Amino acid sequence: MTEQAHGPRRSRTRAGRRFPRLRIALAAAVSFAVAGTAAQAMATQPEGSDGQPTVPSLSWSDCQGGFECANADVPLDYRDPQGKTITLAVIRKKAPDQAKKKGTLFLQPGGPGNSGVDFVRNNHAGLPATLRDSFDVFGYDVRGVARSSAVTCWDDPTYTQAVTAAKGAPGPDAYEPAVRQGAAFDQACKDNAGELTPYVGTGYVARDIDLLRQALGEDQLTYYGRSFGSYIGTVYAAMYPERVRALVLDGAYDPEHYANQPYAYDRPQYLALDGAMSRFLDWCKANQETCGFGDGDPRAAFEKLKADLDANPVPTANGGQANGYTVVYRLMFNINEGKVIWPSLGQALRKAQQRDTTSFLLRPPSPASFDFLNPNIVVECVDKDYPRSPALLKRQVTTNARLAPLLGPAMAYGPPLYDHQHATTCAQWTGEKPSRYDGSFRAKGSAPILVLGTTGDPDTPYQDAVALSRKLDNGRLLTFQAEGHTAFGRSACATDAVTGYLVDLKVPARGTTCADETQPPTATPKVAPPGTTLGELRNGVNDRLDRLGSLR
């Protein structure tokens, strides 16, 4: 989400953020009947029967644009189903003809850390008409995210200081400071969010979804999850296989690696991200006029750019500064757009070379980024089981940096940040993890589950989707031959296959491959081409806003 979309910033003092306010990030007139603080939200659950959690009662109210919003109280700790509760913010838009609808479609964004409420609001209009006509479209902010008691370990000033000091081309002495920063983040989580962090793992998120399914009157779950949302769907299917009607897992995770062998999960992500960056630089070299960066050797120019900006940061309009780390951070997320954004990346790199602050690559991470990054780290530290060996940690992190030289060193030795860079924090994480799910991931006896993998995905490597489709008892893989992250909304072929599966339960044939990626334009486009998101040009700065394409 861009800074502009969030409106005035709230106070982030340590005392004020111990139980963070349930935040409302929609237009000012939009309202949720939310509890004031997470401490208030963690009220006593009303009595259910047989020690089971009480199904939430949803009281819907209008929240503009045809959307309805409500709150759902679910157990904070499912080991104590009648104990304290946490309040989840939910949203839906009903199908226009209720007599003809097939049920409710759950939409789950990536992350962890993205708002499911915003995901539904931002993407509903771009969904294929068949989906909008066939389903009430539903989403929610998972526990610990956005309006559902957002977890905050580092406040904005602490995060700003850390990312400002980070380097795009860190030196050989960068490992130990990274480990110390990971330990500092862990301690901040204990100090500022310790009463919530044990309970934000995906095992409890799946239990929440099953209560929400019941609250909506659905016998089975119809679900689309992208990126981390695919892991949430995987865990749900594993826990409740008989309750699956249709699950789409787009940009899928290898769940066994993610939860139980996290070093084996991290390295392919380092390699996938650097591989995407390398292919972009190769294209740039072969298309110098369109790219505009590198003067014949984009790879060398990129290394020089990082070092030059580290040595002489560029002052930014808000009094901050941008350096080589800033460029790496922005590239990490925006290269997810695929080939269609390559000319824009080339022009942005050229501007950065000229120290032109209109380049989106010179915009440091913002408070909106930190809202995403805090739960991103915490959820994964709870979900993952990193070995406690300091020697293994050092060997893995330094090897990752070496094997992914373009973007890897900045991530490996930077402050606590995103996904594959969590080892220095999560390997030092202490405390119980009752909400973690560790398998099995077979979902034995489920209905067919559709897994989508993109061959050049820089964020969720294609081999993870292959692994998941094989691990599931009844999985079916659809391959999208393309650069970029996920497939639905970026490919007419994949979008049609997903729509037919969700609506009519038509499973694509084995071996189905889509190859209709939008190719790079001959110049930097001013608007997003059909079927793409082009987040930077549309939204100014991509602070991990999750937006689908607009294929109809």
Side-chain angles (χ1 to χ4, degrees):
M1 179 66 70
T2 63
E3 294 99 324
Q4 295 91 334
H6 276 266
R9 291 294 301 162
R10 62 204 180 282
S11 169
R12 292 270 193 140
T13 63
R14 174 166 291 184
R17 294 294 292 173
R18 183 177 298 275
F19 292 106
R21 268 190 185 275
L22 300 181
R23 181 165 51 84
I24 296 178
L26 303 178
V30 180
S31 63
F32 284 88
V34 295
T37 66
Q40 292 168 336
M42 296 171 193
T44 300
Q45 175 85 344
E47 286 297 323
S49 60
D50 302 323
Q52 297 299 311
T54 302
V55 175
S57 177
L58 301 178
S59 180
W60 296 100
S61 61
D62 177 78
C63 53
Q64 293 191 341
F67 294 93
E68 296 177 318
C69 298
N71 292 321
D73 292 333
V74 298
L76 173 66
D77 185 354
Y78 278 93
R79 297 173 302 181
D80 183 14
Q82 297 303 320
K84 292 180 179 179
T85 64
I86 186 169
T87 300
L88 309 177
V90 306
I91 190 171
R92 73 178 177 186
K93 192 164 189 177
K94 298 172 90 172
D97 188 340
Q98 290 288 291
K100 295 182 179 179
K101 75 171 186 179
K102 292 179 177 288
T104 299
L105 170 62
F106 280 61
L107 294 186
Q108 190 66 52
N114 278 312
S115 163
V117 169
D118 292 343
F119 190 58
V120 168
R121 184 174 286 275
N122 291 333
N123 290 294
H124 184 274
L127 293 174
T130 306
L131 290 181
R132 289 182 278 118
D133 290 342
S134 299
F135 298 101
D136 295 344
V137 179
F138 174 88
Y140 81 108
D141 291 348
V142 303
R143 51 177 61 216
V145 171
R147 306 163 188 82
S148 298
S149 299
V151 62
T152 299
C153 299
W154 273 0
D155 61 15
D156 294 347
T158 303
Y159 238 131
T160 297
Q161 182 180 28
V163 298
T164 300
K167 301 296 183 184
D173 58 348
Y175 173 76
E176 294 299 338
V179 173
R180 289 195 293 271
Q181 279 193 316
F185 186 90
D186 289 347
Q187 186 61 51
C189 290
K190 292 179 183 178
D191 293 344
N192 300 332
E195 293 189 40
L196 178 58
T197 56
Y199 311 113
V200 299
T202 302
Y204 278 14
V205 171
R207 291 178 182 272
D208 293 342
I209 289 176
D210 202 57
L211 286 180
L212 292 170
R213 173 193 62 79
Q214 295 173 69
L216 292 165
E218 297 294 325
D219 293 332
Q220 291 182 302
L221 183 70
T222 302
Y223 176 99
Y224 169 85
R226 74 191 304 262
S227 197
F228 186 74
S230 75
Y231 180 69
I232 293 174
T234 298
V235 173
Y236 182 89
M239 293 176 66
Y240 305 105
E242 74 284 359
R243 298 174 194 169
V244 170
R245 175 187 173 271
L247 258 66
V248 177
L249 309 178
D250 188 1
Y253 284 33
D254 180 329
E256 186 64 37
H257 282 180
Y258 170 81
N260 300 321
Q261 302 173 49
Y263 286 129
Y265 179 82
D266 291 347
R267 181 158 300 158
Q269 194 170 4
Y270 272 94
L271 297 176
L273 180 61
D274 243 49
M277 186 66 190
S278 181
R279 292 188 294 274
F280 159 70
L281 291 174
D282 288 345
W283 170 86
C284 201
K285 183 175 182 178
N287 297 271
Q288 277 287 281
E289 185 175 348
T290 302
C291 175
F293 172 73
D295 298 323
D297 192 350
R299 199 173 296 262
F302 180 64
E303 294 299 335
K304 185 175 186 303
L305 174 62
K306 289 186 295 181
D308 288 349
L309 289 173
D310 283 345
N312 295 287
V314 177
T316 57
N318 62 357
Q321 63 179 33
N323 62 7
Y325 184 83
T326 312
V327 170
V328 170
Y329 176 86
R330 290 293 173 200
L331 283 169
M332 176 176 63
F333 290 130
N334 286 283
I335 204 164
N336 282 347
E337 297 283 356
K339 286 182 180 180
V340 70
I341 202 176
W342 282 2
S344 301
L345 291 181
Q347 294 300 319
L349 284 166
R350 179 65 174 168
K351 287 183 177 181
Q353 215 174 26
Q354 297 166 343
R355 304 173 66 84
D356 179 348
T357 56
T358 64
S359 171
F360 61 75
L361 298 178
L362 294 181
R363 298 184 188 178
S366 70
S369 300
F370 307 147
D371 288 345
F372 165 76
L373 295 172
N374 268 289
N376 183 269
I377 299 162
V378 172
V379 170
E380 295 207 352
C381 284
V382 173
D383 273 351
K384 294 178 176 181
D385 184 24
Y386 277 94
R388 301 286 292 173
S389 166
L392 179 60
L393 173 65
K394 184 173 185 177
R395 184 163 65 250
Q396 292 289 335
V397 169
T398 55
T399 301
N400 290 339
R402 176 176 55 83
L403 294 177
L406 293 170
L407 304 179
M411 294 295 102
Y413 303 134
L417 200 74
Y418 177 69
D419 276 16
H420 54 298
Q421 185 265 333
H422 288 160
T424 50
T425 303
C426 296
Q428 303 182 80
W429 190 269
T430 59
E432 62 172 354
K433 302 179 178 182
S435 55
R436 166 178 140 79
Y437 182 81
D438 61 1
S440 149
F441 297 98
R442 284 184 59 190
K444 185 177 181 180
S446 77
I449 295 172
L450 181 59
V451 179
L452 275 66
T454 302
T455 54
D457 196 317
D459 205 334
T460 53
Y462 173 69
Q463 62 263 36
D464 279 21
V466 175
L468 175 61
S469 69
R470 292 172 177 170
K471 191 173 298 292
L472 290 168
D473 207 48
N474 203 0
R476 182 66 56 86
L477 177 67
L478 184 149
T479 297
F480 181 33
Q481 292 182 339
E483 300 290 333
H485 185 40
T486 68
F488 181 77
R490 299 182 55 236
S491 157
C493 168
T495 300
D496 288 346
V498 167
T499 301
Y501 166 72
L502 290 173
V503 174
D504 298 318
L505 302 180
K506 295 190 300 185
V507 182
R510 294 189 185 278
T512 296
T513 297
C514 297
D516 55 345
E517 180 181 17
T518 303
Q519 297 302 306
T522 56
T524 302
K526 301 302 181 185
V527 296
T532 68
T533 58
L534 212 58
E536 289 295 352
L537 297 182
R538 178 177 289 175
N539 302 306
V541 178
N542 186 352
D543 280 316
R544 210 57 180 95
L545 173 66
D546 232 7
R547 190 182 290 275
L548 298 168
S550 56
L551 287 169
R552 303 296 178 96

